[in-house]
Amino acid sequence: MDELTHFDEQGAARMVDVGDKPATRRSALAAGRIRMHPATLARIRQGGADKGDVLGVARIAGIMGAKRTADLIPLCHPLALSRVEIAFAPDLEASAIDCQARVETTAPTGVEMEALCAVQVALLTIYDMCKARDRAMSIEQVRLLEKHGGRSGHWRRPDQA
Amino acid sequence: MDELTHFDEQGAARMVDVGDKPATRRSALAAGRIRMHPATLARIRQGGADKGDVLGVARIAGIMGAKRTADLIPLCHPLALSRVEIAFAPDLEASAIDCQARVETTAPTGVEMEALCAVQVALLTIYDMCKARDRAMSIEQVRLLEKHGGRSGHWRRPDQA
Amino acid sequence: MDELTHFDEQGAARMVDVGDKPATRRSALAAGRIRMHPATLARIRQGGADKGDVLGVARIAGIMGAKRTADLIPLCHPLALSRVEIAFAPDLEASAIDCQARVETTAPTGVEMEALCAVQVALLTIYDMCKARDRAMSIEQVRLLEKHGGRSGHWRRPDQA
Amino acid sequence: MDELTHFDEQGAARMVDVGDKPATRRSALAAGRIRMHPATLARIRQGGADKGDVLGVARIAGIMGAKRTADLIPLCHPLALSRVEIAFAPDLEASAIDCQARVETTAPTGVEMEALCAVQVALLTIYDMCKARDRAMSIEQVRLLEKHGGRSGHWRRPDQA
Amino acid sequence: MDELTHFDEQGAARMVDVGDKPATRRSALAAGRIRMHPATLARIRQGGADKGDVLGVARIAGIMGAKRTADLIPLCHPLALSRVEIAFAPDLEASAIDCQARVETTAPTGVEMEALCAVQVALLTIYDMCKARDRAMSIEQVRLLEKHGGRSGHWRRPDQA
Amino acid sequence: MDELTHFDEQGAARMVDVGDKPATRRSALAAGRIRMHPATLARIRQGGADKGDVLGVARIAGIMGAKRTADLIPLCHPLALSRVEIAFAPDLEASAIDCQARVETTAPTGVEMEALCAVQVALLTIYDMCKARDRAMSIEQVRLLEKHGGRSGHWRRPDQA
């Protein structure tokens, strides 16, 4: 397959026709991380209802970000998501916070972009809330881990196996 | 400074009060990259008006993404941006495309988040357009390179010096 | 049932998984009112195509507000609404305008939030249009009156029976 | 003043011309409450980082809601908000949660609608998160408490004095 | 049929109830054109990846505009579009660029408005990009050419036959 | 001037830098029309608070559309509009409704696009509300009539003089 499906034979961008594909159950799992100064990580981990829950805010932003995917990514199909979940885990050795997003739908096309969008918006929100302390944080390894459903079936990232 | 300014003393999230800060000229430069299979990179580089201009679509998405920042990031102030520019460069050795976004405004607060958002949406759009060929692409090193203006003045990422 | 379904067992917020629930016909009826100075109510009632149709504008705002529910309420599922209707009635004794919104869909989850959102945006629009005359108006009794469909079936507000 | 400024002399709705008004500092404080079953209130008060922080989610929704005001209320002017803060307090006697929102800007027009929108979206989010337990909650007393700035100067709700 | 279905018998606007209509395959083809100075047309036609691809940007804007239809048109039903394609063709004699948009969905109601919105946003984007050279451009003949599906079946614009 | 300012010297699209331009008072007046069957025009003219006020709904949609311009048109700067007014007039001879939109701001760039967007959304809303009766309506002559302010000063459409 040499062609990019988002272009027609003249090279014009298009929202790919999925009208002949059946609506089936689909899920996607994406991940990413934000690296930061160890003191910033310590401050986030101390947080909570009384000291400021950075990850709680980022989780909400990520969930809402998943719902805005078709507004942001030009050729994405609008989809009615049936599930969005976001999890965070600190990685002390790497001085980072890992984020995973799982998104599901029943639709003729998949939700990879929605899961990736959720991760990106969640990580950007962490950056925003901590940037006054630590401007040099960086977002890394934003990638798809796994997807189910659709014509291409189950896919799992090779280096995750 | 031990506190995160986005929380009050009880730990409640807030949009920080910038009402006493003067509106001054501010700019931010952010960057990131998407790594991909060499064949995907080759395909993108061949593109253009007749074969499908992946980077042209991603650039538009990134510019529009900068304008949606305050909609996506919960505690960001809405700002009237005066400039958004996005540049791409292939890195053949790393089999990646680098993206930089420069954003400017005249406002009481900075545009770091707008520049980072532009980069993220541009890179996600590249992912979207090429994912049918190459699902394992990953987004890396999304970070602020430089900012000007405001009380904290000029900041340049240490490892860029 | 002691749990709030919008949180997982660790207390993390999530968009609840409705992927196993069938898409069925659902409706919701919500209501609310805005109390105002009798002169403001009289002015609204005089309105119309030639004097300014406050309720006509508020009705449009409410219908559009129903469509924005999933953008506003973090954990709401995006839904394709099949019907939105908004009715107003003056209550001269209470010096108030009552608003009711009926919303329907065929979906795996209900439209209570859409109906409540429609009422809130409609009443806020009345406030906006009359606030220069009457800043002390207040919005009261925004509540669900009735819902049909879904696993919990028909529900009618006890004090409406 | 008998006229509603949002209509012209033929009764056509319009976004009022504020082009001749100077940009000055303005603030608004709005409030509202949601009444619920005492067991629901107890459940919310138990919440927090480990059991589910209903008020934390509602606060984020309210802040984001303030930023969407001009999208929702047809004749509102778009404004660059400089501050948004939302506070909740339980009222055990009334079995309710009180919400207050303070919004500020430097602009030619006020932020009353933004403060009211923040309250409404915050209270609707509480409803959404608890509705599976307690469908009969109601939103009450959504009103402006105070405003500063602009031609009409300081206004304080009479019954608050 | 003398009635406008978007109003009830009292003249109140409503989002028409389509809950009893089956979801079927529907498509719409709309068109329009923008007339301009011959030098502006020549400049657009020279464009491309190296000189600036006006039509490439306009195509993306049109596709994204189709997805925003229910946000813009008050009584439109939100729909999950399955296909959006936009084509441009120069008309040298008329010194104009013609635009056609094809939109499809499987839904209980049609996509005429989505196709028209796509055309309008695409043509406005051409105007925006060229207005510094040619402020007198005008948009003409925005109209539906054809629709398929739904109770009214196939319709083709009479003057297209 | 041979260059399109929305592209850089390599042909990459950009949001033009207006950071060095002063914020000054600007206005734009745009117009357009929708042609329809005489019976459709008669039906619209009969409308009003009791029979359905098509033009009232379209006016609100147009005003809200002006506020969405920077969301729709990729390279438009976000602006805080200070005035939006929309007027309709029937043209019996042409069997059409004319629409004019006047938009103002104080900003470093003009509001031509906002005025054109308001006209387009208003006319599309008329189409939407009447399309069940008259699918063959067409939108014509959408154009800028006049602009004031900014470096290029006052411009009036030649054929309007």
Side-chain angles (χ1 to χ4, degrees):
Chain A
M1 182 185 59
D2 192 46
E3 290 315 302
L4 299 180
T5 54
H6 282 93
F7 296 106
D8 67 16
E9 51 287 350
Q10 277 79 45
R14 60 181 172 189
M15 186 196 283
V16 174
D17 183 3
V18 298
D20 287 328
K21 298 169 75 177
T24 59
R25 187 77 167 270
R26 290 149 188 277
S27 74
L29 179 66
R33 56 168 34 193
I34 182 165
R35 289 193 308 159
M36 59 189 70
H37 193 281
T40 308
L41 181 58
R43 178 64 188 79
I44 291 174
R45 297 184 69 212
Q46 269 170 40
D50 56 339
K51 287 234 180 167
D53 184 8
V54 172
L55 301 183
V57 177
R59 189 181 288 112
I60 294 302
I63 293 171
M64 296 180 87
K67 294 193 272 185
R68 308 301 292 276
T69 304
D71 269 4
L72 294 172
I73 309 299
L75 306 178
C76 267
H77 296 83
L79 295 177
L81 308 180
S82 59
R83 178 187 183 191
V84 184
E85 285 185 24
I86 293 182
F88 296 107
D91 177 334
L92 296 180
E93 211 169 321
S95 196
I97 288 176
D98 282 309
C99 174
Q100 290 202 355
R102 180 173 295 283
V103 178
E104 295 186 7
T105 194
T106 298
T109 185
V111 283
E112 295 95 316
M113 295 313 301
E114 283 76 6
L116 288 163
C117 246
V119 169
Q120 296 273 46
V121 174
L123 295 175
L124 282 173
T125 299
I126 295 174
Y127 185 91
D128 181 46
M129 298 186 81
C130 301
K131 70 179 188 293
R133 285 178 67 105
D134 187 2
R135 233 171 235 121
M137 290 174 285
S138 69
I139 293 174
E140 306 286 349
Q141 300 176 33
V142 179
R143 64 209 188 280
L144 186 66
L145 295 185
E146 210 177 332
K147 68 174 279 290
H148 284 89
R151 205 164 39 192
S152 62
H154 183 202
W155 178 86
R156 180 191 282 262
R157 191 177 186 79
D159 52 20
Q160 302 303 114
Chain B
M1 182 184 60
D2 193 46
E3 291 315 302
L4 298 180
T5 54
H6 282 92
F7 296 106
D8 67 16
E9 50 287 352
Q10 277 80 43
R14 60 182 171 188
M15 186 195 285
V16 174
D17 183 3
V18 297
D20 287 328
K21 297 170 75 177
T24 58
R25 188 76 167 272
R26 291 148 187 278
S27 75
L29 178 67
R33 56 169 35 194
I34 182 164
R35 287 194 307 159
M36 60 189 69
H37 194 282
T40 308
L41 181 59
R43 178 63 187 80
I44 290 174
R45 296 184 71 212
Q46 269 170 41
D50 58 338
K51 288 232 178 170
D53 185 7
V54 171
L55 300 183
V57 178
R59 188 181 288 113
I60 295 301
I63 293 170
M64 295 180 87
K67 294 193 272 185
R68 308 301 292 274
T69 304
D71 270 2
L72 293 171
I73 308 299
L75 306 178
C76 268
H77 296 82
L79 296 177
L81 308 180
S82 59
R83 178 187 182 191
V84 184
E85 287 186 23
I86 292 182
F88 297 107
D91 177 335
L92 295 180
E93 212 168 322
S95 196
I97 288 176
D98 283 309
C99 174
Q100 291 201 355
R102 180 174 295 283
V103 178
E104 296 187 5
T105 194
T106 297
T109 185
V111 283
E112 295 95 316
M113 296 313 301
E114 282 75 7
L116 289 163
C117 244
V119 169
Q120 295 274 47
V121 174
L123 295 175
L124 282 173
T125 300
I126 294 174
Y127 186 92
D128 181 46
M129 298 187 81
C130 301
K131 70 180 188 292
R133 287 179 65 106
D134 187 2
R135 237 175 230 117
M137 290 174 284
S138 69
I139 294 174
E140 307 286 348
Q141 301 175 31
V142 179
R143 64 208 188 280
L144 186 66
L145 294 185
E146 210 178 334
K147 68 175 277 292
H148 283 88
R151 207 163 37 192
S152 62
H154 184 203
W155 178 87
R156 181 191 281 262
R157 190 176 186 81
D159 53 19
Q160 302 303 115
Chain C
M1 181 185 61
D2 192 46
E3 291 315 303
L4 298 180
T5 53
H6 282 92
F7 296 106
D8 68 15
E9 50 289 349
Q10 277 80 43
R14 59 180 172 192
M15 187 195 283
V16 174
D17 183 3
V18 298
D20 287 328
K21 297 170 75 177
T24 58
R25 188 76 167 271
R26 291 149 187 278
S27 74
L29 179 66
R33 57 170 33 196
I34 182 165
R35 288 194 307 160
M36 60 189 68
H37 193 282
T40 309
L41 181 58
R43 178 64 188 79
I44 291 174
R45 297 184 71 212
Q46 271 169 41
D50 57 337
K51 287 235 180 167
D53 184 8
V54 171
L55 301 183
V57 178
R59 188 180 288 112
I60 294 302
I63 292 170
M64 296 180 86
K67 294 193 272 186
R68 308 301 293 275
T69 304
D71 269 3
L72 294 172
I73 308 298
L75 307 177
C76 267
H77 297 82
L79 296 177
L81 308 181
S82 60
R83 178 188 183 191
V84 183
E85 285 185 24
I86 293 183
F88 296 107
D91 177 334
L92 296 180
E93 211 168 323
S95 196
I97 288 176
D98 283 309
C99 174
Q100 291 202 355
R102 179 173 296 284
V103 178
E104 296 187 5
T105 194
T106 298
T109 185
V111 282
E112 295 95 317
M113 295 314 300
E114 282 75 8
L116 288 164
C117 246
V119 168
Q120 296 272 48
V121 174
L123 295 176
L124 282 173
T125 300
I126 294 174
Y127 185 92
D128 181 47
M129 298 186 81
C130 300
K131 70 179 188 293
R133 286 179 67 106
D134 187 2
R135 237 175 230 117
M137 290 174 284
S138 69
I139 293 174
E140 308 284 347
Q141 301 177 30
V142 179
R143 65 208 187 280
L144 187 66
L145 296 185
E146 211 177 333
K147 68 173 279 291
H148 284 86
R151 206 163 39 191
S152 63
H154 184 202
W155 178 87
R156 180 191 280 262
R157 190 177 186 81
D159 53 19
Q160 302 302 117
Chain D
M1 181 185 60
D2 191 47
E3 290 315 303
L4 298 181
T5 53
H6 282 92
F7 295 107
D8 67 17
E9 50 288 351
Q10 277 79 46
R14 60 180 171 191
M15 186 194 285
V16 174
D17 183 3
V18 298
D20 287 327
K21 297 170 76 178
T24 58
R25 188 76 168 272
R26 289 146 188 281
S27 75
L29 178 67
R33 55 170 34 195
I34 182 164
R35 288 194 307 160
M36 59 189 70
H37 193 281
T40 308
L41 181 58
R43 177 65 187 79
I44 291 174
R45 296 183 71 212
Q46 269 169 41
D50 57 338
K51 288 233 177 169
D53 184 8
V54 172
L55 301 184
V57 178
R59 188 180 288 113
I60 295 303
I63 293 170
M64 296 180 86
K67 294 192 272 185
R68 308 301 292 276
T69 304
D71 269 3
L72 293 171
I73 308 299
L75 306 178
C76 268
H77 297 82
L79 296 177
L81 308 181
S82 59
R83 178 187 183 191
V84 184
E85 286 185 25
I86 293 182
F88 296 107
D91 177 335
L92 297 180
E93 210 169 324
S95 195
I97 288 176
D98 282 310
C99 174
Q100 291 201 356
R102 179 173 295 284
V103 178
E104 295 186 7
T105 194
T106 297
T109 185
V111 283
E112 295 95 316
M113 295 315 300
E114 283 74 8
L116 288 163
C117 245
V119 168
Q120 296 273 47
V121 174
L123 296 175
L124 282 173
T125 300
I126 294 175
Y127 185 92
D128 182 46
M129 299 187 81
C130 300
K131 69 180 189 292
R133 286 177 67 104
D134 187 2
R135 236 174 232 119
M137 289 174 285
S138 68
I139 293 174
E140 307 285 347
Q141 301 177 31
V142 179
R143 65 208 187 281
L144 186 66
L145 295 185
E146 211 177 332
K147 69 174 278 291
H148 284 88
R151 207 164 37 192
S152 63
H154 183 204
W155 178 86
R156 181 190 280 264
R157 190 176 186 80
D159 53 20
Q160 301 303 115
Chain E
M1 183 184 60
D2 191 45
E3 290 316 302
L4 298 180
T5 54
H6 282 93
F7 296 106
D8 67 15
E9 50 287 349
Q10 277 80 44
R14 60 181 172 190
M15 187 195 284
V16 174
D17 183 3
V18 298
D20 287 328
K21 297 169 75 177
T24 58
R25 187 77 167 272
R26 290 149 188 277
S27 74
L29 178 67
R33 58 169 33 194
I34 182 165
R35 289 194 307 160
M36 60 190 66
H37 193 282
T40 308
L41 181 58
R43 178 63 188 81
I44 291 175
R45 297 184 70 212
Q46 270 170 40
D50 57 338
K51 287 235 180 166
D53 185 8
V54 171
L55 300 183
V57 178
R59 188 181 288 112
I60 294 303
I63 292 170
M64 296 180 86
K67 294 193 272 186
R68 307 301 293 276
T69 304
D71 269 3
L72 294 172
I73 308 298
L75 307 178
C76 267
H77 296 83
L79 296 177
L81 308 181
S82 60
R83 177 188 184 191
V84 183
E85 287 185 24
I86 293 182
F88 295 108
D91 177 334
L92 296 180
E93 211 169 321
S95 194
I97 289 177
D98 283 308
C99 173
Q100 289 202 356
R102 178 173 297 283
V103 179
E104 295 186 6
T105 193
T106 298
T109 186
V111 283
E112 295 95 316
M113 295 313 301
E114 283 75 7
L116 288 163
C117 245
V119 169
Q120 296 273 47
V121 174
L123 295 175
L124 281 173
T125 299
I126 294 174
Y127 185 92
D128 181 46
M129 299 187 80
C130 300
K131 70 180 188 292
R133 287 177 66 105
D134 187 2
R135 236 175 230 117
M137 289 174 284
S138 69
I139 294 175
E140 308 284 347
Q141 301 177 32
V142 179
R143 64 208 189 280
L144 186 67
L145 295 185
E146 212 177 331
K147 68 174 279 290
H148 284 87
R151 206 163 38 192
S152 63
H154 183 202
W155 177 87
R156 180 190 280 263
R157 190 176 186 81
D159 52 19
Q160 302 302 116
Chain F
M1 181 184 61
D2 192 46
E3 290 317 301
L4 298 180
T5 54
H6 282 92
F7 296 107
D8 68 15
E9 51 288 352
Q10 276 80 44
R14 60 181 171 188
M15 186 195 285
V16 175
D17 182 3
V18 297
D20 288 327
K21 297 169 76 178
T24 57
R25 187 77 166 271
R26 290 150 188 277
S27 75
L29 177 68
R33 56 170 34 194
I34 182 165
R35 288 194 308 160
M36 59 189 69
H37 194 281
T40 308
L41 181 58
R43 179 62 188 79
I44 291 175
R45 296 184 70 211
Q46 269 170 42
D50 57 339
K51 288 233 178 169
D53 184 8
V54 172
L55 300 183
V57 178
R59 188 181 287 114
I60 294 302
I63 292 170
M64 296 180 86
K67 294 192 271 185
R68 308 302 292 275
T69 303
D71 270 3
L72 294 172
I73 308 300
L75 306 178
C76 268
H77 297 82
L79 296 178
L81 308 181
S82 59
R83 178 187 183 191
V84 183
E85 287 185 23
I86 293 183
F88 296 108
D91 177 334
L92 297 180
E93 212 169 322
S95 196
I97 288 176
D98 283 309
C99 174
Q100 291 201 355
R102 179 173 296 282
V103 178
E104 296 186 6
T105 194
T106 298
T109 185
V111 283
E112 296 95 316
M113 295 314 301
E114 284 74 8
L116 289 163
C117 245
V119 168
Q120 295 274 47
V121 175
L123 295 175
L124 281 173
T125 299
I126 295 174
Y127 186 92
D128 181 46
M129 299 187 81
C130 301
K131 70 180 186 293
R133 287 177 67 104
D134 187 2
R135 234 173 233 119
M137 289 175 286
S138 69
I139 293 174
E140 307 286 348
Q141 300 176 31
V142 179
R143 65 208 187 280
L144 186 67
L145 295 185
E146 210 177 332
K147 69 172 278 289
H148 283 88
R151 206 165 37 194
S152 63
H154 183 204
W155 179 87
R156 180 190 280 264
R157 192 178 185 81
D159 53 19
Q160 301 304 113

